[in-house]
C-alpha cells in the first residue's frame, strides 16, 4: 500500500491548511488512518488518528484547531488545520494501518513521504 500526502505549505500564524493523504494498492482495507508530525530537533509525534468506525483521537495541543476526517470510499483522509501557530511548523506524515490480501490476510503499515508545513509569526 502506497501513501501520497499533499497540501502542505507556508502560511502566516492564524491561517489554515488542509492536508490530504491518498492510499493506493490492491486488495487492502485500511483500518486506522493517522497523521504524525516531526519538528526540527524533535521526535515524531502523533497528531490525529481516525479508525474505520470514525473514532478520532487528537493531540491535546491541537485539539479544537485540527480535525481529522476520512473518505473511506476513496481511501483518503484529511487533516484540516485552523489557527495555525509557529509551533505547528513541522513535516507532517500520514500513516495507515491496513489488512491486505485475498485468501490469506496480513496486517501492514505504510507511511507517506511527508509534507512540510511552515507557519510564520
Amino acid at each position: 500500500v502506497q501513501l501520497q500526502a499533499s497540501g502542505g505549505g507556508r502560511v502566516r500564524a492564524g491561517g489554515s491548511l488542509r492536508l490530504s493523504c491518498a492510499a493506493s494498492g490492491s486488495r487492502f482495507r485500511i483500518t486506522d488512518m493517522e497523521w504524525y508530525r516531526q519538528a526540527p530537533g524533535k521526535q515524531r509525534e502523533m497528531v490525529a488518528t481516525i479508525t474505520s468506525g470514525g473514532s478520532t483521537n487528537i493531540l491535546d495541543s491541537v485539539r479544537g484547531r485540527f480535525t481529522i476526517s476520512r473518505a473511506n470510499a476513496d481511501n483518503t483522509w484529511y487533516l484540516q488545520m485552523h489557527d495555525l501557530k509557529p509551533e505547528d511548523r513541522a513535516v507532517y506524515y500520514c500513516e495507515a494501518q491496513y489488512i491486505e490480501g485475498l485468501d490469506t490476510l496480513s496486517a501492514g503499515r505504510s507511511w507517506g513521504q511527508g509534507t512540510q508545513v511552515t507557519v510564520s509569526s
Side-chain angles (χ1 to χ4, degrees):
V1 176
Q2 295 79 45
L3 305 185
Q4 179 68 46
S6 60
R10 179 186 297 271
V11 297
R12 297 180 68 87
S16 300
L17 285 172
R18 187 194 196 206
L19 306 183
S20 300
C21 188
S24 61
S26 61
R27 298 174 180 170
F28 69 96
R29 178 176 62 84
I30 295 179
T31 55
D32 296 348
M33 297 172 168
E34 300 172 343
W35 287 99
Y36 285 74
R37 69 184 181 185
Q38 187 165 18
K42 295 187 177 181
Q43 290 190 331
R44 189 173 297 189
E45 63 179 352
M46 187 277 293
V47 177
T49 68
I50 185 166
T51 69
S52 58
S55 298
T56 61
N57 188 25
I58 304 291
L59 181 67
D60 285 345
S61 61
V62 305
R63 186 171 291 116
R65 300 188 295 119
F66 291 12
T67 303
I68 187 170
S69 60
R70 64 190 287 172
N72 288 337
D74 298 329
N75 285 317
T76 303
W77 59 108
Y78 308 94
L79 186 67
Q80 179 67 58
M81 304 183 292
H82 294 299
D83 190 24
L84 282 159
K85 304 177 184 299
E87 53 264 39
D88 295 319
R89 174 184 175 237
V91 178
Y92 284 71
Y93 298 89
C94 58
E95 186 260 2
Q97 298 178 43
Y98 54 87
I99 305 296
E100 65 179 345
L102 188 59
D103 297 321
T104 301
L105 302 180
S106 60
R109 189 181 190 189
S110 290
W111 291 87
Q113 82 282 11
T115 184
Q116 177 72 49
V117 171
T118 301
V119 185
S120 58
S121 57

